[in-house]
Amino acid sequence: MNLFRFFGDMSHLASILILLYKIHATRSVRGLSFKTQALYVTVFVARYLDVFTEFVSVYNTLMKIFFISSSCFVLYLMKGRYRPTNDPSIDTFRVEYLLGPCALLALIFHYRWSFLEVLWSFSIFLESVAILPQLFMLQRTGEAETITTHYLAALGAYRALYIPNWIYRYWSEDVIDPIAVTAGIVQTALYLDFFYVYFTKVLQGQKFELPA
Amino acid sequence: GTEDGHKDEL
């Protein structure tokens, strides 16, 4: 565990706490893509099924349990308690265009031909594009609550921090994970546009608004 | 090892 990865994980943890805070404070799930949140549940369940078969560390196990349970809780908040504040009519990204290609990629690229390993690959590919429905929604509405942009920034920072972590691991341990690294670079690249607006507007105290 | 990738990551 190096500092890049540790702060990356902390940023991921923070993003979920910010998300829960946003829902609680505004008593609304407005501006959040249910599709993106449902994709994250799929990602975590597919990847962390190994929590029952592999033991890495207490930290690893606790984080896995947290990510699975918190993402399921967010889905419940969106479809249960705060359902009236959810607007599916602006959440129109076609997730089948993500699920199909990711399943195909996982069948082609994996480390071992076993159910859990192919599922692991699938989850890595799916995570890299899971934010697209949310970014698409942002693009469509052209604006976002500041707290929602902090959530996205923390999530993007988590991905960005994993990149120096991999460089460090390659240098210090001489190991590389081509599937995770390739998908991770793609995932981080998807945030570049968002980060540009976040740094030039939100962090200067302005509202997150895209040019018409 | 390399074969399994970084399975210790989240």
Side-chain angles (χ1 to χ4, degrees):
Chain A
M1 169 81 73
N2 57 67
L3 282 182
F4 298 116
R5 209 197 117 191
F6 178 72
F7 284 113
D9 285 351
M10 288 307 109
S11 187
H12 193 189
L13 206 61
S15 77
I16 292 169
L17 297 179
I18 295 169
L19 179 66
L20 292 171
Y21 172 80
K22 175 259 176 307
I23 297 172
H24 178 77
T26 64
R27 308 199 60 75
S28 149
V29 295
R30 196 171 74 93
L32 300 178
S33 163
F34 176 79
K35 289 180 176 175
T36 280
Q37 298 304 324
L39 289 176
Y40 280 129
V41 171
T42 313
V43 165
F44 295 142
V45 170
R47 188 175 319 158
Y48 299 157
L49 275 179
D50 70 355
V51 77
F52 299 110
T53 60
E54 307 278 337
F55 179 76
V56 180
S57 63
V58 173
Y59 170 85
N60 190 277
T61 301
L62 290 179
M63 292 291 262
K64 285 174 175 172
I65 293 170
F66 174 79
F67 289 128
I68 292 180
S69 48
S70 61
S71 61
C72 289
F73 182 59
V74 169
L75 279 200
Y76 154 72
L77 291 176
M78 294 190 82
K79 283 290 165 182
R81 201 187 305 176
Y82 296 110
R83 192 190 186 102
T85 63
N86 181 35
D87 183 4
S89 71
I90 51 168
D91 191 12
T92 50
F93 195 92
R94 304 285 296 266
V95 286
E96 52 271 38
Y97 295 152
L98 302 179
L99 291 167
C102 287
L104 191 65
L105 281 172
L107 290 172
I108 303 169
F109 302 102
H110 46 258
Y111 294 126
R112 282 161 208 261
W113 181 245
S114 76
F115 179 68
L116 279 183
E117 284 290 323
V118 173
L119 211 55
W120 178 86
S121 272
F122 172 69
S123 83
I124 293 286
F125 293 126
L126 190 61
E127 184 189 350
S128 72
V129 291
I131 199 63
L132 283 176
Q134 178 67 62
L135 293 177
F136 184 70
M137 192 164 152
L138 216 63
Q139 195 72 244
R140 223 186 123 148
T141 56
E143 53 162 34
E145 288 166 2
T146 301
I147 185 75
T148 305
T149 66
H150 293 328
Y151 158 65
L152 288 168
L155 204 54
Y158 144 63
R159 292 318 309 183
L161 282 163
Y162 259 61
I163 294 175
N165 153 61
W166 291 321
I167 296 170
Y168 181 85
R169 292 190 75 166
Y170 180 65
W171 171 75
S172 67
E173 299 167 37
D174 206 28
V175 285
I176 189 155
D177 183 331
I179 294 177
V181 171
T182 312
I185 291 170
V186 169
Q187 185 173 359
T188 309
L190 295 181
Y191 283 90
L192 291 179
D193 237 24
F194 165 80
F195 268 127
Y196 177 76
V197 182
Y198 184 74
F199 282 118
T200 57
K201 287 204 167 172
V202 180
L203 289 187
Q204 314 293 325
Q206 300 171 42
K207 199 176 164 13
F208 184 95
E209 268 176 328
L210 299 173
Chain B
T2 312
E3 201 188 341
D4 281 335
H6 294 160
K7 288 298 165 53
D8 55 320
E9 288 181 354
L10 290 159

